[in-house]
Amino acid sequence: MLGSISALALVILVFAVIMLYLMVKTVPQGEEWTVERFGRYTRTLKPGLRFLIPLMDKIGAKINMMETVLDIQSQEVITKDNAMVMADAVAFYQVIDASQAAYEVRDLERALTNLAMTNIRAVIGSMDLDESLSNRDHINARLLTVIDEASHGWGVKVTRVEIKDLAPPEDINEAMARQMKAERMKRADILQAEGLKQAAILEAEGQREAQVREAEGRREAAFLDAEARERSAEAEAKATSMVSEAIAKGDIQAINYFVAQKYTEALKDIAGSPNSKTIMMPLEASGLLGSIAGVADIAKAVGKGTE
């Protein structure tokens, strides 16, 4: 009798432990579990300690709610200008509705991968090769918009889509390298021609400025020379007038000074002439004074005649 009671108690204990195990669930952080009652979805369990109705409720799917990285394998893509490129990408997504992710699509990662690959071919196929290689940000933005809209019904939010690599074939790479070299040489030739043009313009402007300054210098020199000749003529006229007045007045000292000055200037011109040879002539102070005295006598006679 005691043995049967002990066996019954043991069965009840085991049944209680099993019921407790089926009833109490601990959902880890970063996950959400769906609950099915008789095969039909009823609710979603959040992280923490949760309870089920044994034998009626069961866990349907365990969904990771953290942001997940999805590696999109490389594939061949034909561009708008019929160039073949190898393209691969990486996508980041996060489940925001566990029930939709569990029951609206089968194999969520596979569905997202195929959706991304299809849209990569569509987006890059609508662009030329040069445009696709130089506009990765535009491609990423278009892929993000299209994939996020298409996967919204699956309870998924696509946060980022990044093209990792766009690799044209080797012959296209060589052609692009030659084209880039030609473009750089063209720009270098243009810059060199522009430099030569600018140098020629600056040289012409410099010559023009020099000619203008030279003409202004010649004009200024001519003005100064004319002014000097005018002043010299005025001085000569004034000196002649003074000598004439001195002769009229019989001033012997002024006459002597005037005659001696002209005599000395004449000798200086003769000696400094480039055509002159050796000149032998007597130069005596008495002769010079005699000439002055003769002129003085003439001046006296002129003075008496005027009286």
Side-chain angles (χ1 to χ4, degrees):
M1 185 68 179
L2 292 174
S4 61
I5 294 175
S6 297
L8 180 60
L10 180 61
V11 171
I12 293 173
L13 179 61
V14 171
F15 181 76
V17 170
I18 294 174
M19 291 298 102
L20 183 64
Y21 174 77
L22 293 176
M23 181 177 65
V24 179
K25 299 295 181 182
T26 301
V27 182
Q29 185 67 35
E31 291 186 3
E32 290 184 3
W33 295 357
T34 61
V35 178
E36 298 176 357
R37 180 171 296 174
F38 302 117
R40 183 174 181 272
Y41 167 78
T42 58
R43 59 194 174 99
T44 301
L45 300 181
K46 302 294 182 181
L49 185 64
R50 298 290 180 260
F51 299 94
L52 302 177
I53 300 176
L55 303 178
M56 296 178 61
D57 294 340
K58 71 172 184 177
I59 301 299
K62 298 178 180 180
I63 305 300
N64 186 352
M65 305 299 291
M66 294 182 291
E67 188 171 9
T68 306
V69 180
L70 181 64
D71 192 15
I72 302 170
Q73 63 185 356
S74 179
Q75 60 177 330
E76 291 184 349
V77 180
I78 300 176
T79 62
K80 187 177 180 180
D81 52 354
N82 295 323
M84 185 75 69
V85 295
M86 297 296 295
D88 59 354
V90 59
F92 299 83
Y93 72 93
Q94 185 176 12
V95 176
I96 58 177
D97 191 324
S99 61
Q100 288 183 330
Y103 301 109
E104 295 295 334
V105 62
R106 183 184 296 274
D107 196 347
L108 178 61
E109 287 194 0
R110 181 183 176 188
L112 288 174
T113 300
N114 283 277
L115 180 63
M117 293 178 67
T118 303
N119 282 279
I120 287 173
R121 288 195 296 269
V123 172
I124 297 179
S126 64
M127 305 169 68
D128 293 333
L129 177 61
D130 292 340
E131 185 181 1
S132 62
L133 293 177
S134 60
N135 291 280
R136 289 197 180 188
D137 292 339
H138 179 65
I139 295 175
N140 294 337
R142 289 183 59 184
L143 287 175
L144 177 60
T145 301
V146 173
I147 296 175
D148 184 52
E149 290 179 356
S151 61
H152 182 72
W154 301 338
V156 174
K157 174 65 178 177
V158 180
T159 57
R160 289 192 301 275
V161 178
E162 300 287 342
I163 294 293
K164 291 195 298 185
D165 190 22
L166 285 175
E170 189 63 27
D171 56 344
I172 295 181
N173 284 331
E174 294 178 357
M176 291 173 61
R178 291 195 299 269
Q179 180 182 2
M180 184 181 299
K181 183 178 179 180
E183 288 291 335
R184 290 180 178 178
M185 293 181 64
K186 177 183 177 180
R187 288 197 296 267
D189 293 340
I190 292 174
L191 291 176
Q192 183 178 5
E194 289 290 339
L196 294 175
K197 175 183 176 182
Q198 191 67 22
I201 292 174
L202 293 176
E203 183 178 1
E205 290 180 352
Q207 292 179 356
R208 184 182 64 181
E209 184 69 19
Q211 292 174 358
V212 170
R213 291 183 179 273
E214 183 180 359
E216 290 179 351
R218 289 198 302 269
R219 184 181 65 178
E220 187 68 22
F223 287 160
L224 294 176
D225 188 36
E227 185 177 358
R229 288 197 301 269
E230 182 180 358
R231 291 183 178 180
S232 177
E234 290 178 355
E236 184 72 20
K238 187 174 181 181
T240 303
S241 177
M242 291 175 64
V243 171
S244 299
E245 292 178 359
I247 292 174
K249 294 178 180 180
D251 188 352
I252 302 302
Q253 297 298 329
I255 297 173
N256 291 340
Y257 172 75
F258 182 75
V259 173
Q261 182 185 10
K262 293 300 182 181
Y263 189 77
T264 304
E265 291 177 357
L267 291 179
K268 181 180 178 182
D269 293 338
I270 294 173
S273 175
N275 296 325
S276 64
K277 303 298 182 180
T278 303
I279 300 174
M280 302 295 296
M281 61 178 296
L283 183 60
E284 297 179 357
S286 59
L288 179 59
L289 293 175
S291 299
I292 294 173
V295 174
D297 292 337
I298 296 172
K300 289 180 179 180
V302 172
K304 289 179 179 181
T306 56
E307 294 177 354

